[in-house]
Amino acid sequence: MHAWLVLPFLGALLAVPADHSFCELFTAENSFNIWMTIFFGVLWGVGGLTFGLSMRYLGVALGQSIALGTCAGLGTIMGPVLLNIFFPELNALDSLTFAVLVGVAVTLLGIAIIGVAGSMKASSLSEEEKKAAVKDFNFPKGLAIALLAGFMSGCFNVGLEFGKEINFGELTDPMFRTLPATFLVTLGGFVTNAIYCFYQNQKNRTWGDYRKCSVWANNILFCLLAGALWYSQFFGLSLGKGFLTESPTLLTLSFCILMALNVVFSNVWGIILKEWKGCSKQTIIVLLIGIVVLIVSSFLPQLI
């Protein structure tokens, strides 16, 4: 709740200038954009649910690499494409320049290389070693789920594209202009996850857990901490866009860059957690090449 509702709402308030109210953002004129932003947030929520399964079957490093890489590439492209379908007069496809497509292609190349490293890992380790690194390791199942999670998670950026004008224009600081859209997307994600949680409560007959007051304080504290850390990436994305207004290429690629760097750091954590322990030197080299390619993908488009 903290990550989906409380913190995004507080962040969205930063986009409201003095002498204006938050409710003024939601008018009949932009109702279609509001509902589309929430709708893609709901779809993004599905990606979040399956995202955890990808790490269950592939581990933190490989699971996040494939899911976030797919999310980065498709999320960057789907936004302008779908926006152009509903609002062709905006010429949203013009943002998909050659430099942007190169950046996406290089990002997907980096993900493919990391996928090769994962395949090499799967074929080189014994069943005992696989279970030691990732208890439920299953490369084919994990790959399919990671691709689905990445596709649905890319809807986050699509939601941001539909909601990017939901602000007070010049009255809103450029660094805060996408925060109201971020709130609407996470609101949609909250709906998806709430429905799933209530389904699990009913299925497992765990409604009584909500009455266990002894664990509420501990859960609220750590949920707030986790929510703050998780939301900070999208808060940082909005702040970063404020500094990229003079570079349309990097502005379009900002979401892709965020996801690519997530992949890089997830692999660093994977190495720290010894998920690649026991792999051959060749496998580790391929993994490192994939990481380097992802880092390059964040800067290459600006050089074209």
Side-chain angles (χ1 to χ4, degrees):
M1 181 178 290
H2 296 96
W4 290 313
L5 295 180
V6 179
L7 295 174
F9 173 72
L10 295 177
L13 291 179
L14 294 174
V16 181
D19 300 324
H20 289 274
S21 69
F22 181 72
C23 294
E24 290 178 42
L25 290 169
F26 311 110
T27 62
E29 289 80 9
N30 59 8
S31 60
F32 178 78
N33 294 68
I34 291 172
W35 286 111
M36 289 297 286
T37 304
I38 296 175
F39 171 71
F40 282 105
V42 171
L43 296 182
W44 163 72
V46 176
L49 291 174
T50 52
F51 184 78
L53 287 177
S54 69
M55 290 189 288
R56 172 182 177 182
Y57 293 119
L58 296 176
V60 172
L62 188 56
Q64 287 214 49
S65 296
I66 297 176
L68 291 179
T70 306
C71 173
L74 293 180
T76 301
I77 294 175
M78 286 193 303
V81 169
L82 292 176
L83 197 64
N84 185 73
I85 292 175
F86 290 97
F87 302 102
E89 69 278 4
L90 297 178
N91 298 316
L93 290 179
D94 290 347
S95 65
L96 296 179
T97 61
F98 176 74
V100 170
L101 295 178
V102 168
V104 172
V106 175
T107 299
L108 295 179
L109 174 62
I111 299 306
I113 294 174
I114 292 177
V116 170
S119 180
M120 294 170 65
K121 171 186 177 181
S123 60
S124 63
L125 298 181
S126 65
E127 289 300 321
E128 291 73 18
E129 289 173 321
K130 292 177 185 177
K131 298 300 182 182
V134 182
K135 183 179 179 181
D136 297 318
F137 186 82
N138 187 318
F139 185 72
K141 181 185 293 186
L143 177 62
I145 294 176
L147 291 175
L148 173 63
F151 174 76
M152 299 303 283
S153 296
C155 291
F156 190 102
N157 195 47
V158 179
L160 292 184
E161 284 293 312
F162 275 92
K164 62 184 179 182
E165 300 299 329
I166 303 176
N167 52 62
F168 290 94
E170 296 299 324
L171 296 178
T172 300
D173 191 305
M175 294 191 298
F176 304 142
R177 285 178 185 169
T178 62
L179 290 177
T182 301
F183 167 69
L184 294 177
V185 174
T186 56
L187 174 62
F190 170 78
V191 172
T192 302
N193 284 269
I195 292 174
Y196 179 75
C197 287
F198 293 152
Y199 164 75
Q200 289 294 328
N201 287 145
Q202 182 65 31
K203 177 182 177 182
N204 299 312
R205 302 182 184 280
T206 55
W207 293 102
D209 290 349
Y210 293 111
R211 297 195 296 269
K212 296 179 180 179
C213 299
S214 58
V215 299
W216 270 86
N218 184 68
N219 285 348
I220 290 176
L221 174 64
F222 285 102
C223 284
L224 178 60
L225 176 61
L229 292 173
W230 180 88
Y231 173 67
S232 64
Q233 65 179 316
F234 298 117
F235 186 79
L237 175 64
S238 180
L239 298 185
K241 285 185 174 182
F243 290 102
L244 298 176
T245 54
E246 300 300 320
S247 176
T249 297
L250 290 181
L251 190 62
T252 302
L253 271 173
S254 56
F255 183 77
C256 189
I257 293 172
L258 172 65
M259 294 299 108
L261 293 178
N262 269 337
V263 172
V264 171
F265 287 112
S266 69
N267 276 283
V268 172
W269 275 111
I271 294 172
I272 293 174
L273 295 174
K274 300 180 179 180
E275 292 182 354
W276 295 89
K277 183 179 180 180
C279 294
S280 65
K281 182 183 294 185
Q282 290 80 2
T283 301
I284 299 300
I285 290 175
V286 173
L287 172 65
L288 294 177
I289 291 174
I291 292 175
V292 171
V293 170
L294 284 177
I295 295 175
V296 170
S297 72
S298 300
F299 304 97
L300 180 63
Q302 188 66 5
L303 303 176
I304 297 177

